[in-house]
Amino acid sequence: MLRLGEKVVIVADAFEQNLPVGEYGFIIAYDRNPDNAFDYVLRVPQMNRNFFVPAGDVDLEEVLLKQEAERVEREALIDYALATHNEKLFHHLMNGDFQAVEEEEETADEVMSQADFIKQVNLRAWI
């Protein structure tokens, strides 16, 4: 739950109230009525208005900045992997299963007994 006075960004308009998506606002009150779908009262200084908004329509500015930084970092790493022809890094960035591939290679090198093999197959079948 967000605190009062916290600076947030409007990221969606679930109830189509003509919210200014992408604008900043401040949490000025909680809506504690259990029969109401709205969670917060938001003050948008740009429009000089208050809006009732659900929790899913707003997000902290810090969270959005962090997500954007991670996206830019990932894109830069993809560009680097393509420029240096680093296939392992590229597959890791695109699939995210780099460690799982290494573990499979390590287990493939080891000799397994028949019982261990059946156990491993059954474990993967559940996944």
Side-chain angles (χ1 to χ4, degrees):
M1 182 166 234
L2 302 172
R3 296 180 323 198
L4 290 177
E6 212 158 8
K7 187 175 185 179
V8 295
V9 178
I10 300 171
V11 294
D13 190 4
F15 293 113
E16 298 180 2
Q17 315 176 70
N18 293 328
L19 293 176
V21 176
E23 291 291 328
Y24 293 98
F26 297 94
I27 303 292
I28 60 171
Y30 300 118
D31 191 359
R32 297 181 190 259
N33 184 357
D35 297 331
N36 199 345
F38 302 110
D39 298 314
Y40 304 110
V41 178
L42 186 72
R43 174 74 177 167
V44 180
Q46 186 84 11
M47 296 182 69
N48 198 24
R49 284 189 59 197
N50 297 339
F51 294 99
F52 287 92
V53 295
D57 283 358
V58 295
D59 210 351
L60 288 174
E61 180 184 23
E62 294 85 22
V63 172
L64 293 174
L65 290 175
K66 182 180 177 185
Q67 289 173 349
E68 184 66 19
E70 288 172 356
R71 185 189 64 80
V72 169
E73 179 184 6
R74 185 172 184 270
E75 287 178 0
L77 283 172
I78 289 172
D79 290 341
Y80 174 77
L82 290 173
T84 59
H85 305 290
N86 189 341
E87 190 173 335
K88 279 187 174 181
L89 177 61
F90 181 76
H91 286 295
H92 168 63
L93 292 169
M94 297 308 290
N95 300 333
D97 59 349
F98 186 70
Q99 292 175 347
V101 171
E102 286 182 352
E103 290 173 4
E104 287 178 11
E105 290 174 0
E106 290 174 6
T107 58
D109 293 339
E110 299 172 2
V111 177
M112 283 194 239
S113 68
Q114 186 177 7
D116 289 339
F117 178 74
I118 292 173
K119 182 179 178 183
Q120 191 72 19
V121 169
N122 289 336
L123 284 174
R124 290 182 190 248
W126 280 101
I127 297 172

